[in-house]
């Protein structure tokens, strides 16, 4: 069959069928894969994380994880290693691992720190190695880092530091080739889009919004720098799927953002941004030398850790905040507290890394009095119109709500028939806890409902009328009885009056109706005298019969 396949020109389907039959009967020699043997506890941990974990079973897996022997350092390190190796988990279940870790941190705090460090280290290692076989691994790590931010395991500064490292680590802006980021490699753009698609929608207010706006400007310059390289020609154009992915990400985050159309325009935007930052930093230095020196030191420290582009974006955000606050504040201590307050109110993402710092700032903020009132308010005519409209709306709302009556819904539980025979006659039969029934003049009967397992049990209680419960219930019953009688009398009166009105209308209509005329008299035919001689046969009816 193999010789026949080679001699004849067969269809691709027949070729596949022949090869499948041949290799099924005569399989090629293959080396047997040796399965790694692990202890039962490690196999159980891998089963929980890689097979059982899903959106529905997260709580169940968390309860099983808490039962592990955490005092054993080997078990703890293996669990941390399994969580760091997030590429072994299904891509759609990565957020479940982040949710599991966020719940586990409440009981084992150091686990979250080690997992976050391992993920950041793996991301940096992927940029240093840069081999295609690690691409899926790098995508999973970037996705996991974004989910960790969504579950408040890392702060926004970590996300932006990672984003800037994607477009700056090992990148030669002069155009020379770099082994860490070759010209034809576009995988870092995919990493940026994956991370922004995961957690970028939360950067929509405060300092996080300004940081993301700055990063997108640098990101556009990086994209156009990649497009302008010589490797992309008419025969080998820039991949269109990368363009679609970038446009989808920017449309999701900043739909109204004006995009750059060329490398020169993107470079001009970056230059204008850096110039604006330097101007603000210079103004801050003139107004307050101490605070500007402090901010410049922070920028320099960040520049040592990160590259020039990342430092520029962080400088703009910090210097912008300081220039606004320096206009109102001259005390360095109150300025620091103001910055920490704004960061905590706007981001609320410092969960693990800066937990001690947050506790200290929370304790100190209780005693801080802010001297400045923020930006100066300029009065205008629109403010008065707005205040008048607001007062009018609030007054109308108060008047409308004051007329509404709040009704408390009561639950009436029916008493079983076998208990009604035991209760004495003369009482109502229902209540919220039970129903009160009249006993003698000094006691009332209540039926108390209890539950034992799946069965309901009833017990009759004799409560004296001197107690508040019985007195209030008796007064409530009397009031309800009087209300029912009043409504009954009112209803009967209405029905009686309506019947009388109907009877009077009927009699009045009968009196106004005219007497009936005898129409039969008019309908009788009048006698007409016959002309000519009379017909005797017709008169005496003697003839004409047949």
């Amino acid at each position: 069959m193999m010789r026949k396949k080679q001699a004849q020109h067969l269809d691709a389907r027949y070729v596949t069928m022949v090869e499948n039959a041949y290799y099924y009967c005569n399989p090629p020699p293959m080396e047997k894969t040796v399965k790694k043997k692990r202890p039962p506890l490690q196999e159980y941990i891998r089963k929980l994380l890689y097979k059982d974990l899903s959106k529905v079973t997260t709580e169940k897996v968390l309860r099983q994880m808490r039962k592990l022997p955490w005092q054993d350092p080997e078990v703890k390190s293996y669990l941390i290693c399994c969580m760091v190796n997030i590429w072994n988990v299904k891509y759609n279940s990565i957020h479940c691992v982040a949710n599991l870790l966020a719940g586990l941190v409440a009981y084992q705090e150091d686990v979250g720190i080690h997992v976050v460090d391992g993920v950041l280290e793996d991301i940096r290692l992927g940029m240093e190695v840069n081999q295609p076989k690690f691409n899926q691994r790098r995508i999973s790590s970037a996705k996991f880092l974004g989910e960790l931010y969504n579950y408040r395991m890392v702060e926004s500064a970590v996300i932006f530091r990672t984003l800037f490292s994607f477009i700056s680590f090992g990148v030669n802006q002069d155009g020379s080739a770099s082994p860490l980021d070759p010209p034809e490699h576009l995988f870092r753009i995919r990493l940026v889009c994956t991370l922004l698609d995961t957690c970028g929608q939360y950067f929509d207010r405060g300092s996080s919004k300004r940081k993301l706006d700055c990063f997108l400007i640098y990101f556009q310059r990086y994209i156009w720098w990649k497009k302008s390289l010589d490797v992309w020609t008419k025969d080998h154009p820039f991949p269109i799927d990368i363009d679609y992915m970038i446009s989808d990400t920017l449309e999701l985050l900043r739909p109204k953002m004006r995009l750059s159309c060329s490398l020169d325009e993107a470079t001009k935007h970056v230059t204008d941004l850096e110039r604006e930052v330097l101007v603000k930093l210079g103004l801050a230095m003139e107004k307050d030398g101490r605070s500007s020196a402090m901010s410049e030191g922070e920028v320099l420290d960040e520049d040592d850790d990160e590259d020039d582009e990342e430092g520029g974006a962080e400088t703009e955000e910090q210097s912008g905040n300081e220039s606004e606050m320096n206009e109102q504040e001259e005390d360095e201590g109150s300025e620091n507290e103001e910055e920490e307050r704004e960061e905590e109110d706007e981001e609320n993402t410092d969960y693990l890394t800066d937990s001690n710092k947050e506790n200290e700032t929370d304790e100190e903020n209780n005693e801080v009095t802010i001297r400045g009132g923020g930006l100066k308010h300029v009065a205008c005519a629109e403010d008065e119109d707005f205040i008048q409209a607001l007062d009018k709306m609030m007054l109308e709302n108060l008047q409308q709500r004051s007329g509404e009556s709040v009704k408390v819904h009561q639950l009436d539980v029916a008493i079983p028939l076998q208990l009604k025979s035991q209760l004495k006659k003369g009482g109502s039969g229902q209540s919220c806890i039970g129903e009160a029934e009249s006993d003698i003049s000094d006691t009332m009967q209540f039926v108390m409902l209890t539950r034992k397992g799946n069965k309901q049990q009833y017990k009759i209680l004799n409560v004296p009328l001197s107690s508040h419960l019985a007195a209030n219930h008796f007064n409530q019953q009397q009031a309800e009885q009087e209300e029912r009688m009043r409504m009954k009398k009112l209803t009967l009166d209405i029905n009686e009056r309506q019947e009388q009105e109907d009877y009077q209308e009927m009699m009045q209509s009968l009196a106004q109706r005219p007497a009936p005329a005898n129409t039969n008299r008019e309908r009788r035919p009048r006698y007409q005298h016959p002309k000519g001689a009379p017909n005797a046969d017709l008169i005496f009816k003697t003839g004409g019969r047949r």
Side-chain angles (χ1 to χ4, degrees):
M1 292 298 297
M2 294 298 290
R3 287 196 301 269
K4 187 176 182 179
K5 178 180 75 71
Q6 295 177 359
Q8 295 183 358
H9 181 69
L10 299 178
D11 193 9
R13 297 176 300 169
Y14 301 134
V15 172
T16 304
M17 294 171 62
V18 170
E19 290 179 352
N20 289 341
Y22 175 78
Y23 289 114
Y24 183 78
C25 299
N26 186 17
M30 295 178 60
E31 296 181 0
K32 294 184 179 180
T33 57
V34 180
K35 185 178 180 181
K36 186 177 181 180
K37 293 183 179 180
R38 300 183 180 88
L41 188 58
Q42 294 184 3
E43 293 288 348
Y44 181 66
I45 292 175
R46 295 176 67 88
K47 175 181 176 297
L48 289 177
L49 283 178
Y50 301 154
K51 294 183 179 180
D52 297 344
L53 185 60
S54 63
K55 186 177 181 181
V56 182
T57 61
T58 304
E59 293 294 334
K60 182 179 178 181
V61 174
L62 176 60
R63 288 195 297 268
Q64 298 298 322
M65 287 292 182
R66 291 177 55 191
K67 296 178 183 179
L68 296 177
W70 293 98
Q71 65 277 4
D72 189 357
E74 184 178 356
V75 175
K76 180 184 290 189
S77 61
Y78 186 76
L79 178 61
I80 293 172
C81 181
C82 290
M83 285 191 172
V84 172
N85 298 342
I86 195 64
W87 52 89
N88 294 325
V89 184
K90 295 180 181 178
Y91 188 78
N92 294 331
S93 300
I94 290 179
H95 68 96
C96 299
V97 181
N99 189 9
L100 175 66
L101 183 62
L104 197 60
V105 163
Y107 307 97
Q108 305 292 334
E109 186 176 0
D110 56 337
V111 175
I113 299 175
H114 291 302
V115 171
V116 172
D117 289 342
V119 172
L120 294 176
E121 181 67 23
D122 187 78
I123 291 175
R124 177 54 66 94
L125 180 63
M127 289 189 292
E128 293 176 354
V129 175
N130 193 22
Q131 293 184 6
K133 66 178 182 179
F134 296 133
N135 286 349
Q136 185 60 39
R137 172 175 175 173
R138 297 168 67 186
I139 286 287
S140 300
S141 299
K143 171 80 172 177
F144 188 42
L145 181 61
E147 294 293 347
L148 289 177
Y149 173 79
N150 294 342
Y151 285 96
R152 295 188 175 184
M153 297 296 297
V154 296
E155 56 183 355
S156 62
V158 177
I159 302 297
F160 286 107
R161 189 177 297 115
T162 305
L163 289 173
F164 276 103
S165 66
F166 284 151
I167 63 176
S168 60
F169 180 74
V171 177
N172 296 330
Q173 297 296 336
D174 54 357
S176 58
S178 173
L180 300 182
D181 187 24
E184 67 278 2
H185 283 206
L186 304 175
F187 198 74
R188 292 194 179 190
I189 299 178
R190 190 178 297 274
L191 291 175
V192 171
C193 293
T194 301
L195 186 54
L196 289 179
D197 290 340
T198 305
C199 61
Q201 64 269 20
Y202 298 107
F203 301 142
D204 57 349
R205 60 175 60 89
S207 60
S208 300
K209 181 178 182 298
R210 293 191 294 270
K211 289 180 181 180
L212 182 59
D213 293 337
C214 296
F215 170 76
L216 291 179
I217 295 176
Y218 283 92
F219 184 46
Q220 290 185 72
R221 186 182 70 171
Y222 177 79
I223 294 171
W224 280 106
W225 173 70
K226 279 286 186 180
K227 288 183 178 181
S228 62
L229 296 177
D230 298 335
V231 294
W232 310 113
T233 59
K234 292 183 179 181
D235 298 333
H236 183 57
F238 192 81
I240 192 171
D241 59 331
I242 301 295
D243 285 333
Y244 287 157
M245 181 175 57
I246 296 170
S247 61
D248 292 342
T249 301
L250 296 180
E251 181 68 21
L252 177 65
L253 300 179
R254 297 292 184 268
K256 298 182 180 179
M257 182 179 180
R258 183 177 177 273
L259 303 180
S260 302
C261 300
S262 62
L263 178 61
D264 296 337
E265 185 177 357
T267 306
K268 181 177 180 300
H269 289 168
V270 173
T271 305
D272 295 341
L273 177 62
E274 294 176 350
R275 184 185 301 109
E276 182 181 358
V277 172
L278 293 177
V279 169
K280 289 183 178 180
L281 187 60
L283 293 176
M285 292 175 60
E286 292 177 0
K287 291 186 177 181
D288 191 350
R290 295 177 300 170
S291 62
S292 62
M294 177 193 66
S295 63
E296 190 174 3
E298 292 177 357
V299 173
L300 292 176
D301 292 339
E302 290 187 5
D303 287 338
D304 293 337
D305 298 335
E306 304 168 0
D307 296 319
D308 296 338
E309 295 179 357
E310 182 181 1
E314 296 291 335
T315 304
E316 184 203 11
E317 190 273 335
Q318 294 175 359
S319 61
N321 291 339
E322 290 173 359
S323 62
E324 292 178 357
M325 286 185 289
N326 285 333
E327 294 177 0
Q328 302 294 335
E329 298 179 1
E330 296 179 359
D331 189 8
E332 182 179 0
S334 62
E335 179 184 0
N336 296 335
E337 298 296 332
E338 179 78 7
E339 291 180 356
E340 293 173 356
R341 272 172 168 254
E342 290 181 358
E343 291 179 357
E344 291 174 1
D345 293 338
E346 293 170 352
E347 297 180 359
N348 290 327
T349 56
D350 301 339
Y351 188 75
L352 286 174
T353 54
D354 292 339
S355 58
N356 296 331
K357 179 181 177 181
E358 287 184 357
N359 296 333
E360 294 176 0
T361 55
D362 290 340
E363 294 176 358
E364 296 173 0
N365 284 338
N366 295 331
E367 301 178 358
V368 170
T369 302
I370 301 177
R371 297 180 182 178
L375 299 177
K376 293 183 179 180
H377 175 69
V378 180
C380 57
E382 287 78 3
D383 294 342
E384 298 179 359
D385 297 339
F386 173 76
I387 293 175
Q388 292 178 0
L390 179 62
D391 294 340
K392 183 179 179 181
M393 183 185 66
M394 294 296 293
L395 182 60
E396 292 177 355
N397 191 13
L398 290 175
Q399 292 177 355
Q400 181 181 1
R401 295 299 298 271
S402 61
E404 297 180 358
S405 59
V406 181
K407 296 182 179 180
V408 180
H409 298 280
Q410 296 183 357
L411 176 63
D412 293 335
V413 180
I415 295 178
L417 296 176
Q418 63 270 17
L419 285 180
K420 289 189 177 180
S421 60
Q422 301 179 14
L423 295 176
K424 296 187 177 181
K425 298 181 180 179
S428 68
Q430 298 179 354
S431 175
C432 288
I433 306 175
E435 269 311 314
E437 298 205 355
S438 64
D439 192 344
I440 337 177
S441 59
D442 57 344
T443 58
M444 294 185 69
Q445 287 185 346
F446 281 80
V447 178
M448 184 175 64
L449 171 63
T450 59
R451 182 182 293 274
K452 185 176 182 181
N454 294 329
K455 293 184 178 181
Q456 294 180 352
Q457 296 182 355
Y458 300 90
K459 186 177 180 181
I460 300 176
L461 301 177
N462 292 324
V463 181
L465 286 175
S466 58
S467 64
H468 292 286
L469 176 63
N472 293 336
H473 192 75
F474 180 77
N475 295 334
Q476 182 180 0
Q477 282 187 340
Q478 294 295 329
E480 291 178 356
Q481 184 67 20
E482 292 177 0
E483 181 66 19
R484 284 195 295 268
M485 295 301 296
R486 189 181 68 83
M487 294 300 297
K488 180 179 178 181
K489 185 176 181 302
L490 183 61
T491 306
L492 293 176
D493 292 343
I494 292 175
N495 292 336
E496 184 179 357
R497 184 169 63 252
Q498 188 174 3
E499 291 178 358
Q500 290 180 359
E501 291 178 355
D502 294 342
Y503 179 74
Q504 291 177 1
E505 290 179 359
M506 183 184 65
M507 296 301 296
Q508 187 177 3
S509 61
L510 291 176
Q512 294 178 357
R513 181 180 301 175
N518 187 5
T519 57
N520 293 330
R521 183 172 177 273
E522 296 178 357
R523 292 178 184 175
R524 187 175 57 185
R526 299 178 63 183
Y527 174 76
Q528 293 182 0
H529 184 75
K531 296 180 180 181
N535 190 354
D537 295 336
L538 181 61
I539 295 173
F540 296 104
K541 298 181 180 180
T542 57
R545 289 187 180 180
R546 294 180 183 179

